[in-house]
Amino acid sequence: MKSITFLTDFGTKGAYVAQMKGVVSSISDARMIDITHEVSPQNIREGAFLLWTTAPFFPVGTIHVAVVDPGVGTQRKGLVITTKKQILVGPDNGILLPTAHLLGDFVVYEITNPKYMVHPLSRTFHGRDIFAPVAAYIARGVPFGEIGTPTTHFVDMRFSLGEHQGDRIVGKVLYVDRFGNLVTNIPDDILPSDIEGKTISVMSGDRRWDQVVCVPSYGYAKQGELLITVGSNHFLEISINQGDAAKSLGMQADSEVSLVFG
């Protein structure tokens, strides 16, 4: 049985998610799995990050539908992207591309065949009327070339990674989770091997926090203490044990971060 996942900024109060799933269930018996529907409204980059860090945990053949779509109803295209392992469906605004690069060997198709859409087609809900049915038909085995045409013209997006610059590691915040943890783009493989247990300085703009301890996980710091740790996605996180680092430090997604050693 194929699996279809959903990632949107629709929230769960309204019926939008249910309508997408209703369309899929009327076409296919695919298993449906929610990644999240709580992406910040219209935040394409946040949605791309969450898909990028989640897709690798799904089996080969999974179809991901990602809809954070402030350009719905305009001339922006709808895409199907085949990769080495999985399939991505959504708007042409960059949300699918970091995951496509990660999964590798990808081919991009523009969705063009109205046969695989819901009619009458709304101007404001392509998640239900285009992306959900396309995913369902793919799960049923409809060839990609029948759904759309290959294209090399699409909105690309990649996540840059932190790097060494002199005596420091420089990066930025990629994502703020619901606990206020600041997930950076600094991967664990560029950190010093002996960093655990050491104290460093964290800088952002003209602000600096000294004596920040690197711990294996949040509970190794005192309640309310500022810490850094390597999170579940293997990126450095700036956190406060049982507190909200984003609010306390006044930082958010795209805030610059520098780690100063010694």
Side-chain angles (χ1 to χ4, degrees):
M1 180 183 293
K2 291 284 188 181
S3 293
I4 298 175
T5 76
F6 299 91
L7 180 151
T8 78
D9 60 349
F10 297 161
T12 54
K13 280 189 174 181
Y16 299 126
V17 176
Q19 290 178 25
M20 291 176 67
K21 290 181 176 181
V23 168
V24 170
S25 63
S26 69
I27 297 168
S28 166
D29 62 355
R31 179 189 298 112
M32 290 181 277
I33 301 170
D34 296 305
I35 295 178
T36 182
H37 299 291
E38 302 301 329
V39 177
S40 301
Q42 295 89 48
N43 194 327
I44 297 167
R45 187 178 181 84
E46 181 180 310
F49 173 80
L50 293 172
L51 183 62
W52 183 57
T53 52
T54 302
F57 295 98
F58 282 88
V60 172
T62 299
I63 304 162
H64 299 288
V65 178
V67 188
V68 180
D69 194 15
V72 64
T74 68
Q75 295 302 306
R76 73 100 184 89
K77 300 188 289 287
L79 301 180
V80 172
I81 303 180
T82 66
T83 75
K84 190 175 182 179
K85 298 179 179 180
Q86 300 171 14
I87 300 155
L88 313 172
V89 181
D92 179 24
N93 58 18
I95 191 170
L96 306 176
L97 268 297
T99 304
H101 287 290
L102 176 67
L103 297 177
D105 295 339
F106 67 89
V107 178
V108 181
Y109 295 82
E110 178 182 355
I111 299 169
T112 55
N113 193 338
K115 177 180 177 181
Y116 300 107
M117 303 176 189
V118 170
H119 297 281
L121 181 69
S122 74
R123 296 179 179 176
T124 60
F125 197 3
H126 289 180
R128 180 195 64 194
D129 295 346
I130 297 178
F131 305 130
V134 162
Y137 282 114
I138 290 171
R140 279 182 49 177
V142 174
F144 304 114
E146 192 170 325
I147 290 171
T149 56
T151 180
T152 57
H153 300 286
F154 50 84
V155 177
D156 204 350
M157 182 192 296
R158 299 188 191 222
F159 291 119
S160 61
L161 297 179
E163 60 184 7
H164 287 273
Q165 291 185 9
D167 65 345
R168 64 189 61 191
I169 294 176
V170 176
K172 63 181 179 180
V173 177
L174 279 180
Y175 176 63
V176 180
D177 70 15
R178 71 183 301 268
F179 301 102
N181 297 315
L182 299 158
V183 182
T184 76
N185 68 340
I186 300 172
D188 59 358
D189 60 5
I190 71 168
L191 297 171
S193 59
D194 62 347
I195 190 174
E196 198 168 285
K198 298 291 182 65
T199 58
I200 66 169
S201 295
V202 176
M203 299 178 63
S204 181
D206 59 358
R207 295 164 296 170
R208 179 175 177 134
W209 300 270
D210 293 317
Q211 299 297 308
V212 181
V213 64
C214 180
V215 294
S217 64
Y218 316 107
Y220 283 87
K222 297 176 183 178
Q223 184 174 349
E225 184 178 8
L226 181 63
L227 63 97
I228 60 171
T229 191
V230 175
S232 60
N233 293 312
H234 304 287
F235 289 103
L236 187 87
E237 296 183 12
I238 303 168
S239 306
I240 292 177
N241 184 23
Q242 299 180 55
D244 189 320
K247 287 183 179 178
S248 297
L249 304 184
M251 295 170 64
Q252 58 189 358
D254 288 329
S255 291
E256 300 294 327
V257 175
S258 295
L259 308 181
V260 183
F261 300 89

